[in-house]
Amino acid sequence: MLTKRIIPCLDVNLGRVVKGVNFLQLRDAGDPVEVARRYEADGADELVFLDITASHEGRDIMIDVVRRVSEEIFMPFTVGGGIRSLDDARRLIQAGAEKISLNSSAVRTPELITECALKFGSQAVVVNIDPRRVSRTPAIAPEPGFPRQGREKADRFLSASGQAADVWWEVHINGGRVPTGLEAVAWARRVEELGAGEIVLTSMDADGTKAGYDLEMTRAVAEAVRIPVVASGGAGHPEHLYQVLTEGKADAALAASIFHYQEHPVPSVKKYLAERGVPVRLIF
């Protein structure tokens, strides 16, 4: 049986690790190099580094920070934020990233997913999907140029049970600021077809709340694709990770606040999971 991965996430803004609630109200959580070094010592399975304002601000990701982090750790390292071209992805791989993560650019230029997969291999291409639960008839029109398969057909979407849904999971980009009209499960299937090797699924509604992952959404996406799904958004207690790895059928659980502020360190979370029969990699 494959082990379940426990993945700390470093949301980085202006060179510092930060954490917020629902993608807002950011507070400082330390220097990314020091935080990364601590997580490796704690036995984290992977690390995700997201430059959360690069796309919104229209700037390149901070290569120097990526390089400094990669020089300090040996565990797999995924980097995202501000990747708009194959050359951007190449520079991150050269700086030490094992995987690159696409989000806003994947929606705007889906062919970039395929280009990166052909160049670096599907295993190196992650697509971040940030959905929010919205009503069937959203009031705001999608931004011009986005695929026309969301908002005007929202009332036709079905829930995971196959029944007409009163709400649906709408994908957002630019750090959660821009709605796209894309439905999360359909978009997950599409990115798999385009060559993505993994999905990081972040519930915008649950992010930073510590109230638990969106189990329904995670399970719906995990059952719709064959590639690994990393659950993100809402971890507040080891029980939440247990739930999303079992009920939510996620292949990995990503968390930030509970790790950054030592509320539930990685070793104690893994011990909790192992005691309940979840296969995890333990450090003795």
Side-chain angles (χ1 to χ4, degrees):
M1 182 181 295
L2 293 176
T3 58
K4 300 288 189 176
R5 292 169 289 148
I6 304 304
I7 307 174
C9 180
L10 276 61
D11 290 338
V12 177
N13 182 40
L14 302 177
R16 299 287 293 180
V17 178
V18 296
K19 189 57 193 151
V21 177
N22 304 134
F23 287 34
L24 302 171
Q25 304 171 31
L26 303 179
R27 60 174 174 150
D28 189 88
D31 175 76
V33 176
E34 295 177 2
V35 174
R37 189 185 298 120
R38 186 183 81 225
Y39 284 137
E40 180 152 75
D42 281 350
D45 297 299
E46 297 184 20
L47 190 67
V48 170
F49 173 110
L50 298 176
D51 189 334
I52 60 173
T53 58
S55 292
H56 175 64
E57 296 172 358
R59 60 171 173 77
D60 293 338
I61 198 167
M62 292 172 285
I63 293 289
D64 60 323
V65 177
V66 175
R67 184 175 293 109
R68 287 194 297 118
V69 170
S70 70
E71 290 173 349
E72 295 292 331
I73 64 174
F74 296 94
M75 61 181 162
F77 181 33
T78 300
V79 180
I83 303 172
R84 292 181 290 273
S85 68
L86 187 63
D87 186 61
D88 289 339
R90 177 187 56 77
R91 290 189 296 121
L92 288 173
I93 295 292
Q94 291 178 340
E98 181 168 303
K99 306 176 188 177
I100 55 96
S101 179
L102 307 174
N103 188 334
S104 302
S105 60
V107 171
R108 297 182 186 279
T109 54
E111 61 272 17
L112 181 59
I113 301 172
T114 304
E115 292 174 2
C116 290
L118 290 174
K119 180 67 174 178
F120 308 113
S122 291
Q123 78 286 344
V125 181
V126 178
V127 172
N128 273 65
I129 300 179
D130 300 335
R132 183 192 297 277
R133 289 174 180 257
V134 297
S135 65
R136 287 192 297 169
T137 310
I140 305 172
E143 185 172 307
F146 284 166
R148 300 180 59 80
Q149 61 192 68
R151 292 179 178 275
E152 70 277 12
K153 298 182 181 178
D155 58 349
R156 301 181 189 176
F157 284 126
L158 302 179
S159 68
S161 66
Q163 301 299 314
D166 291 327
V167 298
W168 55 292
W169 301 300
E170 183 177 17
V171 176
H172 286 59
I173 60 170
N174 283 34
R177 296 173 178 83
V178 179
T180 66
L182 293 168
E183 192 273 333
V185 175
W187 179 232
R189 291 194 183 104
R190 181 61 180 146
V191 302
E192 180 182 29
E193 293 171 355
L194 290 167
E198 185 168 84
I199 290 169
V200 173
L201 182 69
T202 303
S203 167
M204 291 182 58
D205 301 299
D207 179 71
T209 65
K210 300 182 184 179
Y213 298 88
D214 189 326
L215 300 181
E216 182 186 8
M217 181 182 72
T218 304
R219 184 169 56 250
V221 172
E223 291 179 340
V225 299
R226 296 179 300 276
I227 58 178
V229 173
V230 180
S232 171
H237 186 275
E239 175 68 14
H240 296 151
L241 284 84
Y242 173 78
Q243 291 171 342
V244 83
L245 293 172
T246 54
E247 297 175 47
K249 298 188 177 181
D251 297 276
L254 181 148
S257 299
I258 63 170
F259 296 151
H260 294 343
Y261 305 113
Q262 296 292 297
E263 297 167 13
H264 298 284
V266 172
S268 65
V269 169
K270 284 194 168 187
K271 181 175 183 291
Y272 179 95
L273 295 171
E275 290 173 346
R276 285 154 182 79
V278 178
V280 293
R281 182 180 65 91
L282 295 173
I283 300 296
F284 297 98

